[in-house]
Amino acid sequence: MTHNTPLSPRPHLPGVRRRVLTAAQLESHGVPAADLDAQCRPGGPWQQVLPGVILLHPGPPTSEERLHAALLYAAREPAPCVPAQPSPERPHRPAYPEAMITGLAALALHGFTSSPSLLALDRIDVLVPRDRRLRSTPAVRVVRTPAMPTPRQVTGLPVAPVPRALADAVRELADAEAVRRLLTEAVRFEYCEPAQVVRELDRAKLMSRPHVADAVDSLVAEGRAVAEHRLYEMVREFGLPDPVWNVDVRLPGGPHLGGLDAYWPEQAVALELDTRAPRQGEDALWSEYARKREHLERLGITVVHVTPTKLRDAMELQAAVVRTALMTSGDREPAAYVVVLPR
């Protein structure tokens, strides 16, 4: 066939709504390879945007079409473009098996304002199992993992959870300010907890990069600020007595016992937020927490230990724990006298 050979009529594809399909899906609709080649030649009505992935119109793809094309390219045997009705014998099949959007594109889909828009991204990151034989292209970067996370469905697309998407985005960023903005937004707007992000960064072996370590320091500080705000909200919303906030306690003329986020002196009840970051050494820090708690409880002070996740997901339950500790204080032996100082 020469370029002067007239194009065959565009095939009619009943039931096909999406304008991005794989060559295999088109073949299942009766489009033979020769016709596909003819439709995709220069000046034709279709175009191959990725190996084996066809855009069913001329001109540049939309952001949505780029995302679907990236997933079709990366998926293991994508589902038929007209899915069969699920049944007990034939359960629903994911549209894009073993593939999900990650990195900056995933963050944009999650709603991050500090991530470039999809239109501004030259490349879409896709996450696939480590054993997949798949090459990156100028339009798609293939990211491999030994264990695929459970994807979130965003606008009908499988998208990596925020902590994983952040780690994949940070891996490609050398701009310290851009990294700091992404991590800060993740915590400030409660997309995830700091510990989840740090765990993914550590798993990706990114914590040795100075600009990432610096950004994590800001992340941990931001996470503490968010957790403290939730703590104030818990006391207010559930009608708990006002404690003294952010104090140090010590024995009269004796050693420093440690800092507390909230303390009810009359009931000798202390509350401590656990905002440890995994990179700081969980065993060592937990031992420090445990030693302080044991010392305070030997003095008759009840210590309530709360994590940011518990405050976010089960605030009412945490308020009930504190209220119970306050109400039962009269049943306990009087606590030792301690000096309470602003922290």
Side-chain angles (χ1 to χ4, degrees), residues 38-58:
Q39 299 294 328
C40 291
R41 78 185 192 190
W46 295 352
Q47 55 184 309
Q48 180 172 282
V49 289
L50 287 166
V53 180
I54 311 302
L55 183 64
L56 304 185
H57 66 81

Side-chain angles (χ1 to χ4, degrees), residues 229-267:
H229 176 76
R230 289 180 187 150
L231 185 57
Y232 301 148
E233 180 184 352
M234 181 189 78
V235 170
R236 184 180 66 253
E237 291 293 325
F238 293 95
L240 297 173
D242 286 332
V244 287
W245 298 103
N246 296 316
V247 295
D248 281 320
V249 291
R250 64 176 65 243
L251 289 172
H256 175 247
L257 299 174
L260 299 172
D261 295 285
Y263 185 55
W264 289 264
E266 293 184 8
Q267 295 87 0

Side-chain angles (χ1 to χ4, degrees), residues 30-325:
V31 181
D35 284 358
L36 180 58
D37 289 342
Q39 299 294 328
C40 291
R41 78 185 192 190
W46 295 352
Q47 55 184 309
Q48 180 172 282
V49 289
L50 287 166
V53 180
I54 311 302
L55 183 64
L56 304 185
H57 66 81
T62 65
S63 295
E64 182 181 5
E65 288 167 346
R66 289 178 64 209
L67 293 168
H68 282 289
L71 288 167
L72 284 170
Y73 173 69
R76 188 189 295 274
E77 299 177 5
C81 49
V82 182
Q85 291 297 320
S87 67
E89 298 79 18
R90 183 170 52 194
H92 177 74
R93 179 185 174 193
Y96 305 106
E98 297 187 2
M100 68 185 76
I101 302 295
T102 190
L104 289 173
L107 297 178
L109 287 168
H110 280 297
F112 274 60
T113 59
S114 56
S115 173
S117 68
L118 292 170
L119 285 173
L121 294 175
D122 295 326
R123 223 175 192 193
I124 304 294
D125 293 346
V126 287
L127 190 63
V128 301
R130 186 168 57 187
D131 62 355
R132 294 290 308 282
R133 293 184 177 180
L134 197 65
R135 293 179 180 234
S136 295
T137 76
V140 174
R141 183 171 71 94
V142 175
V143 182
R144 292 178 171 80
T145 181
M148 293 283 282
T150 301
R152 307 288 186 264
Q153 293 296 317
V154 182
T155 66
L157 298 171
V159 179
V162 167
R164 176 65 206 230
L166 276 170
D168 291 332
V170 167
R171 184 185 288 111
E172 300 301 306
L173 292 174
D175 184 337
E177 182 60 23
V179 171
R180 188 194 63 77
R181 285 197 304 267
L182 287 172
L183 299 191
T184 299
E185 182 175 355
V187 173
R188 180 174 298 170
F189 294 98
E190 302 187 8
Y191 288 103
C192 56
E193 298 295 341
Q196 296 173 305
V197 179
V198 177
R199 193 172 295 113
E200 286 290 350
L201 293 173
D202 190 53
R203 188 177 294 146
K205 298 181 171 52
L206 297 171
M207 294 301 301
S208 60
R209 300 182 184 183
H211 70 287
V212 175
D214 289 344
V216 165
D217 289 338
S218 298
L219 171 76
V220 172
E222 185 73 34
R224 170 161 278 280
V226 170
E228 287 177 347
H229 176 76
R230 289 180 187 150
L231 185 57
Y232 301 148
E233 180 184 352
M234 181 189 78
V235 170
R236 184 180 66 253
E237 291 293 325
F238 293 95
L240 297 173
D242 286 332
V244 287
W245 298 103
N246 296 316
V247 295
D248 281 320
V249 291
R250 64 176 65 243
L251 289 172
H256 175 247
L257 299 174
L260 299 172
D261 295 285
Y263 185 55
W264 289 264
E266 293 184 8
Q267 295 87 0
V269 173
L271 185 145
E272 189 164 28
L273 278 172
D274 179 2
T275 55
R276 293 170 296 151
R279 75 186 184 94
Q280 295 174 326
E282 288 197 14
D283 292 340
L285 273 181
W286 179 248
S287 296
E288 181 183 332
Y289 273 95
R291 280 195 300 270
K292 179 165 64 174
R293 179 172 186 163
E294 288 171 5
H295 196 170
L296 291 172
E297 291 187 339
R298 281 199 301 270
L299 296 172
I301 296 173
T302 300
V303 181
V304 178
H305 184 260
V306 178
T307 65
T309 301
K310 288 179 181 178
L311 273 177
R312 182 192 65 191
D313 298 339
M315 184 180 289
E316 185 174 4
L317 177 60
Q318 303 313 304
V321 171
V322 174
R323 181 176 286 107
T324 299

